[in-house]
Amino acid sequence: MAHTTVNQNKGLRMRAGTCLIALLFTTTAAAQTPGTAYHRAPDAIARALETPPTPGVAVSPDHKTLAILGRENLPSIANLSKPILRLGGYRIDPATNGQAEVRVQWLNALSFKDVASGKTVAVSLPAALRFAAPDWSPDGSHIAFYAQEADGLSLWIATRDGNARKIAGRLNGTFGTPFEWTPDSKALIAYTVPANRGAAPAASSTPTGPVVQESAGRTSAARTYEDLLGDAHDEALFDHYFTGQLTRIAIDGTATPIGTPGLITDFSVSPDGRYLLTERLKRPYSYLLPASYFPTEIAVATIDGQPVKTLVDRPLADDLPVDFDATVKGPREAEWRSDAPATLVWAEALDGGNPRAKIAFHDKVMMQAAPFTAEPVELAMTPARYGTTMWGDDGFAMVIDREWRSRTEHRLAVSPAKPGQTRPLLTRNYQDQYGDPGFPMLEDNAAGKPVMRFTPAHDGVYMTGDGATKAGAFPFLATMPLAGGEAKRLWTAKAPYYETVVALLDDKAQRILTRRESAKLAPNYMIRTVKGGSARAVTAFADPAPVFAGVTQRTITYNRADGLPLSASLYTPAGYDVKRDGPLPTLLWAYPAEFTDAKVAGQTVDQGNRFVRPRGISHLFLLTQGYAVLDNPAMPIIGEGGAEANDTYVKQLQQDAQAAVDAVVKLGVGDKGRMAVGGHSYGAFMTANLLAHTNLFRAGIARSGAYNRTLTPFGFQAEQRTYWQATPTYTEMSPFTYADRIKAPILLIHGGADDNSGTFPIQSERMYAALKGNGATVRYVVLPNEPHGYRALESTEETLWQMTDWLDRYVKPKATVTAEK
């Protein structure tokens, strides 16, 4: 419903003797009305949206070829509105037995570019073929992908000479990418629809009885999840569509079934090609938890499907603590050791899955080599929850853990040949940008498994990192000594570029492949000499939105009232001159973040060397409509010394916003009387809170938010406590509680099929009712069939039209003074 009246924001009231204030509501977007038909975005925005996106790139294992991947533009609302099923936390397309449209980034073109010569060979594909998940074979001779057909998914392979062919049909893509190369590059293991599957179970219009759930006093807390199973018919549909058959498909198309069908959520081939590791779901299912919590069997079989070892057969994981680091009991996160023929690796909790346990080590990492008859050996114990292992060889691997509560990361050096002996490499706050040492470079070995890249003398590993400093992020290449000590920088990107290392082109790292961009230059791939600095472009991707070429971006720094340094990216429209044009209507678009260390929270990194071009529903499109945008102003919520950050959420949020507004006004760019605030998801939650607790903003835009925290009682965002453990915090943080205080006009937008945990559409529905009932100026827009992030072209243009219309109505007009009669 459109509203044409305005409640003036108390913070905008001005005194000029006995003058009255009248707001003018002339608007550029109001040439169209906010009815129920889709609106076209303002022309400059619409033209940018209709431009094809920049292609993606996949580098071959030998680094000699780039696969150039044409990406589809935004899908149509018709495509997005095809029938889907929502089962066990998944959304699937029953017509194709794959994931729903919103879950896949479809590609539409493929070509190969030779890195040395620049020669490009286009791959001949059927007209309008949509494909996804391109993956090079370990030997680099082929690239595989799956394609969408009218009645299913098919498996294709292409060669560098431009030839492509379909080698199999009836893939089952419900759990994700449905194939993996074998280490010898002669075949793929694919998840397929069982050959004898019949018709889908039909729903009965007559129930056979009630749906009953029961708990017998056992603690079973669950966060707020979407798309869960709801009844016996859902269970039958889940079994029908998600059950698959593993099949070996040779590159000539010969297909051989492996083992028995099942609900196989994940599978991987051992580096020697002899074994298959699988994870299978089992009954009983849950109506409160997604499929990742269902009973799970992790097992090893031979490559032809003969059972070898069951690692774990665990029950429904419905008894976990609500803490973010909580985990299941018993073996989990099983994988193959990348640098060994067939060694199984997994983690096990030493704390019963409860991270609050006061013990020195919370996890252990175990190994067991084929034929899996000897007792497993302990590779390492970790002080916090196990994260991953980066593999190198028998003499060196790196084990990494993390603890959410303290934001602490530990890195341990281990020798797989001498298991149980660990050496600490570092302990750090993983939110610390300035102190980030980077990570070892991983490259696929001959089996197609990721391993660290060693120096020629085998005394170090190559490292890359973002190189964040106050002056900007300047990615680097370094070597980390295996014996310990400081890493040695070999190369660092220099202003005005942001240039990341993609691959080493020789063993001594004298030539590297990089991806380079600057504020004015679109990202492209370069061959660079480490010493001497010469660089040659390999690609020549054009600016996808030249309408933004004249936009000015700069990083501004300022302090919060308590002295904490903050920063933001300030964008101004093309051609803007502050001295000539004066203050502009300004949109602050933000997303709060929680920290445990004020020093880390106050780090600022200049963004002036980044190439910024908005896509989709980006708020930066408002720059074409005469607005300044203060993008991502730091909104830290800090809890130090064990204090809970959210207990002072509102106070800190007020301070963050006040500092940001003061900074942009002080520069002469922002008009203090024409400030708006906006955000998506947790940023929408922030927006409603700022409108309720400050008078800084003339209007707000809140997209896909959650506003009543009693509807997410077992934790949300970075809050681990339950509603019953922190009732005052839940209440005070909920803008729904203070809906009667929101006087500035607020635009609520929500995807009608939101798939994000905790942001059910009812959050916006009830917030709208509360605001309307308290006399607020509010518009509530529901985008049919859209998930948490809106995808369809029509929905995207509608969102940007609504945002422009709202700000043009309530923020852009200058306040005028009329003498009192």
Side-chain angles (χ1 to χ4, degrees), residues 677-702:
V677 63
H680 191 94
S681 193
Y682 205 52
F685 175 75
M686 170 209 73
T687 296
N689 265 309
L690 286 174
L691 295 186
H693 297 293
T694 76
N695 291 320
L696 297 169
F697 304 102
R698 194 156 152 181
I701 299 172

Side-chain angles (χ1 to χ4, degrees), residues 379-383 388-391 393-401 410-427 440 452 454 461 480-485:
L379 175 66
M381 291 196 297
T382 60
T388 190
T389 299
M390 293 185 169
W391 300 102
D393 60 13
D394 273 346
F396 184 78
M398 183 186 293
V399 174
I400 302 174
D401 74 10
H410 304 95
R411 299 187 189 181
L412 307 173
V414 297
S415 172
K418 299 177 181 178
Q421 302 176 28
T422 61
R423 173 168 51 89
L425 293 173
L426 64 83
T427 299
M452 289 184 279
F454 289 98
V461 294
M480 182 191 77
L482 298 186

Side-chain angles (χ1 to χ4, degrees), residues 396-628:
F396 184 78
M398 183 186 293
V399 174
I400 302 174
D401 74 10
R402 283 189 168 184
E403 181 183 71
W404 166 260
R405 179 173 292 277
S406 64
R407 312 301 198 271
T408 298
E409 172 185 285
H410 304 95
R411 299 187 189 181
L412 307 173
V414 297
S415 172
K418 299 177 181 178
Q421 302 176 28
T422 61
R423 173 168 51 89
L425 293 173
L426 64 83
T427 299
R428 63 182 294 267
N429 184 319
Y430 59 74
Q431 291 180 310
D432 177 10
Q433 299 179 84
Y434 294 171
D436 184 358
F439 283 95
M441 291 191 71
L442 296 179
E443 293 186 354
D444 286 352
N445 59 17
K449 306 295 183 180
V451 293
M452 289 184 279
R453 183 76 179 259
F454 289 98
T455 59
H458 211 81
D459 57 358
V461 294
Y462 290 107
M463 304 273 291
T464 59
D466 207 39
T469 69
K470 187 173 183 179
F474 301 100
F476 62 85
L477 173 67
T479 56
M480 182 191 77
L482 298 186
E486 292 293 320
K488 178 184 177 182
R489 292 278 182 102
L490 303 178
W491 173 84
T492 302
K494 293 181 173 57
Y497 301 114
Y498 179 83
E499 190 168 1
T500 58
V501 180
V502 177
L504 306 183
L505 299 181
D506 59 64
D507 289 340
K508 295 182 179 180
Q510 295 176 340
R511 295 170 64 248
I512 57 177
L513 181 68
T514 66
R515 181 182 181 275
R516 187 177 77 175
E517 66 181 75
S518 72
K520 296 182 179 180
L521 296 177
N524 273 290
Y525 288 77
M526 316 291 292
I527 293 179
R528 171 173 290 284
T529 302
V530 170
K531 293 182 180 180
S534 63
R536 174 176 65 83
V538 179
T539 60
F541 300 137
D543 185 341
V547 68
F548 285 91
V551 165
T552 300
Q553 183 272 346
R554 58 171 164 157
T555 299
I556 64 171
T557 57
Y558 49 94
N559 290 335
R560 203 164 76 170
D562 58 3
L564 184 73
L566 303 175
S567 66
S569 292
L570 176 59
Y571 292 87
T572 51
Y576 171 74
D577 182 272
V578 64
K579 294 182 179 178
R580 181 190 66 215
D581 302 320
L584 295 174
T586 302
L587 171 64
L588 277 70
W589 194 270
Y591 193 96
E594 296 77 8
F595 296 87
T596 59
D597 186 339
K599 292 180 181 178
V600 171
Q603 292 178 344
T604 65
V605 180
D606 194 288
Q607 299 293 307
N609 60 347
R610 303 307 299 271
F611 183 80
V612 179
R613 293 295 183 269
R615 295 294 302 173
I617 54 175
S618 173
H619 51 283
L620 294 180
F621 279 114
L622 272 298
L623 288 160
T624 68
Q625 306 303 301
Y627 294 89

